[in-house]
Amino acid sequence: MFSVDESLTLKIVITIYFLLLLVMTIFLGRKVKTYEDYNIASRNVSMFPLILTFVGTGVGGATLLGYTENGRVLGMGQMWIHITMLFAVIVLASFFLKKIRLIGEEYNMVTIGDFTALKYGEAARIPTAISFLFAYCSMTGMQFVAIASILNLTIGLNMTVGIILGWLFLSFKTYVGGLKVVVWQDVIQGLLLTAGIFILLIAVLQQSDSFSQMIINAESMGEKAMLSVTNITPKEILVYLLTLACYQFIRQDVWQRIWAAKSLNTAKNAYWISMIIAIILGAITILIGIYSKYGLNIEVEETSLTFYYVVQSVFPFALVIFMIVILLAAVISSADSFFIAGSSSIANDIIKPNVKTKDDKEMLKYSRLSVVIVSVVSLIMALTIPGLVNLMVTGTAMSVSGLLVPVTAGLFMKRVSKVAGLYSMWAGLITAIIWQILGHPFELHPIMIGLPVSLIVFILASQINNKNNAYHY
């Protein structure tokens, strides 16, 4: 894909970029002194960095690579990903965010496990942690693979070596700095990827056929439906709504940033602004994929490489280098956020309740140990599981199946049954896992079975356990 001289130039630029991030990590990491510094960024993050860390977390390598491919292969119907996401953002910002913030402030919460333990007892930490670990370890492992893929295509590095290199780099960065460093590095990376995607869109529009000509081009291929937002089935829309959209309500990395904000207004305004930006950026990448086929008329050997083909088609090599850095920024900004969200579950919901220490420095050590644990599990998954993307989607579905009902009930109901919440978590999680193992019987996604089971169990158990001492007020 790149000549020897181009690969050498890319190798130098990528190395410099990695070194700059490492230097920044070491410098900022020295300011991380406490457990809350590490896991919740000291609860004093201001508006501008909070906006960019939300953007950096929400727009990852999967956005640039996956959505451009989806746009090319599946067409305009993929916009429903962002339509359902917009619905989730509106609901979360309007109804969830204030409650999440206030209860987190009152009880100094670090993870969603703190919330479920408050509402449903300490035993609720375990299914909560399992739900998040499965999802976040697979997401983190995906980023190791994504970095390896980029390095393989740009400088010819072996995939296994690239995965290990990505693992070492991201593990060290997260181990040293925690969420505090993640947030401040996202300021740089969030700016880079936002600017880069808009610049790419402008270049694509300038060099592409008009939309009317694109319709003619699509008709000549017998693919006019690809340019319609109705080019998707209701079932696919429902899956997007129940997985990617509903997952926003229980994303630990989102809750942690809401608690990390210096005030409620900061959290609310930053979330609104950042999510609108993220949704727009996601929609743009789908458009770029569509334009690559019907507007730029680019021939692509592998659809997964659509982003690279577009960049090389519309930019001189100097800007291609910039876009590769943008792609790395997107991957890294998501990866370390997933990393710290997963490790927080181990430190806060598994280790802390069992060691029962009040020593802050000791808990900081356990937090860093938790990063190592997530790191190793994610590496094993990246090296041994070929369908990591499917695993990530499944992990998301399991988290929603187990946690959406009890978490939502805990936020909005005046009293909840502790037994009902605990049973609901386990029932939804286990049902989704079994449905996945069985291979989606009747072509039903695990979320379509696990979530209803969780809801039914919660309702029935609440009715059965109606004694006053079974409730949390």
Side-chain angles (χ1 to χ4, degrees):
M1 179 165 281
F2 296 98
S3 68
V4 174
D5 288 341
E6 288 174 339
S7 291
L8 178 60
T9 303
L10 283 167
K11 187 179 295 185
I12 293 170
V13 172
I14 290 170
T15 300
I16 292 172
Y17 181 62
F18 277 19
L19 288 175
L20 286 173
L21 289 178
L22 288 177
V23 169
M24 186 178 179
T25 296
I26 294 170
F27 175 75
L28 293 174
R30 291 185 299 179
K31 299 181 180 181
V32 177
K33 303 293 186 182
T34 69
Y35 180 69
E36 287 205 344
D37 282 346
Y38 195 84
N39 290 283
I40 213 74
S42 307
R43 303 185 193 272
N44 64 357
V45 181
S46 56
M47 178 77 74
F48 185 65
L50 192 62
I51 290 172
L52 291 170
T53 190
F54 270 130
V55 171
T57 302
V59 182
T63 303
L64 295 185
L65 299 178
Y67 288 175
T68 50
E69 179 184 13
N70 282 2
R72 182 181 181 89
V73 175
L74 301 173
M76 197 73 79
Q78 292 301 291
M79 288 296 179
W80 278 96
I81 294 175
H82 306 295
I83 295 171
T84 57
M85 196 71 71
L86 179 60
F87 165 77
V89 166
I90 292 171
V91 172
L92 193 151
S94 302
F95 302 105
F96 280 69
L97 193 148
K98 183 177 180 179
K99 290 180 178 292
I100 292 169
R101 172 70 190 195
L102 293 180
I103 199 167
E105 271 186 347
E106 183 178 357
Y107 294 97
N108 289 318
M109 291 180 175
V110 174
T111 63
I112 294 180
D114 283 334
F115 174 78
T116 57
L118 174 71
K119 292 293 182 177
Y120 303 111
E122 285 296 315
R125 289 188 187 274
I126 301 303
T128 305
I130 291 173
S131 295
F132 285 132
L133 286 174
F134 193 84
Y136 282 118
C137 283
S138 61
M139 289 178 180
T140 304
M142 270 187 64
Q143 308 316 307
F144 299 159
V145 175
I147 288 178
S149 299
I150 296 168
L151 297 180
N152 176 260
L153 286 166
T154 55
I155 63 177
L157 192 68
N158 175 270
M159 279 294 294
T160 301
V161 175
I163 288 173
I164 294 173
L165 181 62
W167 166 63
L168 289 171
F169 172 74
L170 291 171
S171 298
F172 176 80
K173 203 167 77 67
T174 311
Y175 179 89
V176 170
L179 185 61
K180 196 163 193 173
V181 173
V182 168
V183 167
W184 285 105
Q185 288 195 346
D186 280 351
V187 171
I188 297 172
Q189 297 180 139
L191 282 172
L192 281 175
L193 68 91
T194 301
I197 292 175
F198 275 105
I199 290 170
L200 180 58
L201 175 65
I202 292 169
V204 167
L205 292 176
Q206 286 179 338
Q207 299 181 39
S208 178
D209 292 333
S210 65
F211 194 78
S212 58
Q213 182 60 47
M214 285 175 58
I215 294 175
I216 295 171
N217 295 341
E219 283 182 330
S220 68
M221 301 177 194
E223 299 176 359
K224 184 179 179 181
M226 291 280 281
L227 300 182
S228 171
V229 291
T230 61
N231 187 44
I232 188 171
T233 67
K235 180 181 175 182
E236 289 174 305
I237 295 174
L238 183 61
V239 170
Y240 288 148
L241 178 64
L242 295 178
T243 55
L244 298 177
C246 286
Y247 186 54
Q248 304 309 305
F249 303 140
I250 56 165
R251 279 185 64 161
Q252 184 148 284
D253 49 295
V254 171
W255 283 48
Q256 285 180 315
R257 281 160 175 75
I258 291 171
W259 293 330
K262 68 178 184 180
S263 69
L264 172 60
N265 284 337
T266 299
K268 190 169 186 177
N269 293 333
Y271 182 77
W272 268 116
I273 294 169
S274 63
M275 289 301 102
I276 296 300
I277 293 172
I279 288 170
I280 291 172
L281 294 179
I284 286 173
T285 56
I286 289 176
L287 276 178
I288 289 170
I290 294 169
Y291 269 85
S292 74
K293 186 172 185 179
Y294 304 110
L296 295 171
N297 304 305
I298 299 173
E299 294 294 329
V300 175
E301 293 180 9
E302 293 182 39
T303 57
S304 61
L305 304 180
T306 299
F307 175 82
Y308 299 97
Y309 279 98
V310 171
V311 167
Q312 285 188 300
S313 174
V314 301
F315 286 140
F317 182 65
L319 281 176
V320 171
I321 295 174
F322 175 66
M323 292 308 301
I324 296 300
V325 172
I326 295 300
L327 180 57
L328 283 169
V331 173
I332 294 168
S333 62
S334 291
D336 49 19
S337 297
F338 300 152
F339 225 135
I340 197 67
S343 62
S344 292
S345 282
I346 294 178
N348 197 69
D349 299 324
I350 297 177
I351 296 177
K352 189 177 181 180
N354 289 296
V355 298
K356 299 186 184 303
T357 180
K358 293 184 178 179
D359 185 85
D360 195 78
K361 289 186 177 179
E362 188 173 354
M363 280 310 305
L364 180 58
K365 290 179 181 178
Y366 284 130
S367 294
R368 289 190 162 121
L369 172 63
S370 300
V371 168
V372 175
I373 295 171
V374 170
S375 166
V376 172
V377 173
S378 300
L379 176 64
I380 293 171
M381 294 172 75
L383 291 173
T384 60
I385 302 175
L388 212 53
V389 174
N390 292 332
L391 184 61
M392 181 202 72
V393 174
T394 302
T396 302
M398 291 174 183
S399 297
V400 173
S401 295
L403 297 177
L404 182 63
V405 170
V407 167
T408 303
L411 280 173
F412 292 98
M413 293 176 66
K414 290 185 178 180
R415 61 178 191 173
V416 287
S417 165
K418 293 183 177 182
V419 172
L422 191 60
Y423 285 2
S424 175
M425 289 180 202
W426 281 116
L429 177 62
I430 293 172
T431 300
I433 291 173
I434 292 173
W435 206 259
Q436 175 65 23
I437 293 172
L438 293 176
H440 300 199
F442 312 110
E443 297 185 356
L444 291 176
H445 194 279
I447 191 68
M448 296 180 179
I449 304 299
L451 185 57
V453 166
S454 177
L455 177 60
I456 291 168
V457 168
F458 186 87
I459 293 172
L460 292 177
S462 296
Q463 291 176 343
I464 294 171
N465 294 277
N466 57 4
K467 293 181 181 180
N468 289 336
N469 63 3
Y471 286 90
H472 173 92
Y473 290 86

